[in-house]
Amino acid sequence: MQPLRYSINITLDGCCDHEAGIPTEALHAHAAEGIAAADALLFGRTVYEMMEEAWRPVAETGERPDWMDEWMVPFARTIHAAKKYVVSDSLARVDWNAELVRGADLEETVRRLKAGPGRGIATGGVTLPLALAELGLIDEYEFIVHPRVAGHGPYLLAGLPRHLDLRFVGRKEIGSSGAVALRYEHRA
């Protein structure tokens, strides 16, 4: 059985807005390692569309947009190559090495994927991980805490209907930015 791993960047006050973190070369390398260590990625529609728009073009053409530093390209190549499952009831189809999963099939599909052999499944984002946590499907949590107070949301797993008990399994400093990855396992 392979684990479902959730990784998210958060600020000290729990904000998980993708623009609230501090992007660094070390952070992108850490994220690429996590993706490469998984057999597949599980995304909701919003994260899938954001990732595809940002990273697919440079991976396919080699041409970077003005906002993208050279050190971001390895991340683009890693996420581009990864198998993806996209949970959406509004998308008619997906490509980019992806398979569409309907929301009504979420629990059954994730349980089937986890039951297969492999190194793990990686997920991220806000809405989908909340649904996965409610179903008790996330095995490992990684919170990459940035040394910043955002003063706004969205907030990590906001609306979770019950406590989520976790067991601390490790920490890793991500470069010299002050960001720290805290890893936990779900305690059933």
Side-chain angles (χ1 to χ4, degrees):
M1 183 163 215
Q2 57 183 328
L4 176 59
R5 297 182 189 102
Y6 174 42
S7 182
I8 187 81
N9 292 291
I10 63 170
T11 61
L12 290 169
D13 56 345
C15 174
C16 52
D17 181 326
H18 74 279
E19 294 181 340
I22 304 165
T24 66
E25 184 172 358
L27 183 67
H28 277 76
H30 177 77
E33 288 171 15
I35 290 170
D39 289 331
L41 305 177
L42 180 64
F43 289 149
R45 179 195 54 81
T46 301
V47 171
Y48 171 78
E49 289 180 333
M50 284 179 15
M51 295 294 190
E52 182 181 28
E53 180 181 352
W55 306 112
R56 186 178 188 172
V58 70
E60 290 182 348
T61 68
E63 295 181 28
R64 291 182 292 119
D66 292 339
W67 61 266
M68 187 181 292
D69 292 320
E70 180 66 36
W71 52 260
M72 295 177 171
V73 174
F75 176 85
R77 289 187 186 118
T78 302
I79 197 166
H80 181 71
K83 170 68 176 163
K84 300 159 196 78
Y85 293 92
V86 182
V87 180
S88 175
D89 289 328
S90 61
L91 291 173
R93 64 177 191 80
V94 293
D95 58 7
W96 197 38
N97 196 22
E99 183 178 316
L100 192 58
V101 175
R102 296 298 177 198
D105 302 327
L106 176 63
E107 183 173 10
E108 178 185 329
T109 299
V110 172
R111 289 193 187 284
R112 179 181 49 81
L113 292 172
K114 287 176 61 170
R119 299 170 296 155
I121 305 158
T123 192
V126 178
T127 306
L128 176 61
L130 176 60
L132 295 166
E134 287 177 359
L135 292 168
L137 294 173
I138 299 175
D139 301 294
E140 300 173 17
Y141 292 79
E142 179 183 62
F143 306 119
I144 302 171
V145 184
H146 293 249
R148 175 175 280 171
V149 175
H152 63 83
Y155 296 103
L156 181 66
L157 299 173
L160 194 64
R162 63 186 176 285
H163 289 111
L164 187 62
D165 292 319
L166 305 175
R167 183 176 67 82
F168 178 73
V169 295
R171 73 185 288 284
K172 176 183 177 183
E173 291 185 29
I174 309 293
S176 60
S177 71
V180 178
L182 302 172
R183 291 186 29 252
Y184 298 86
E185 290 179 351
H186 183 237
R187 199 177 342 180

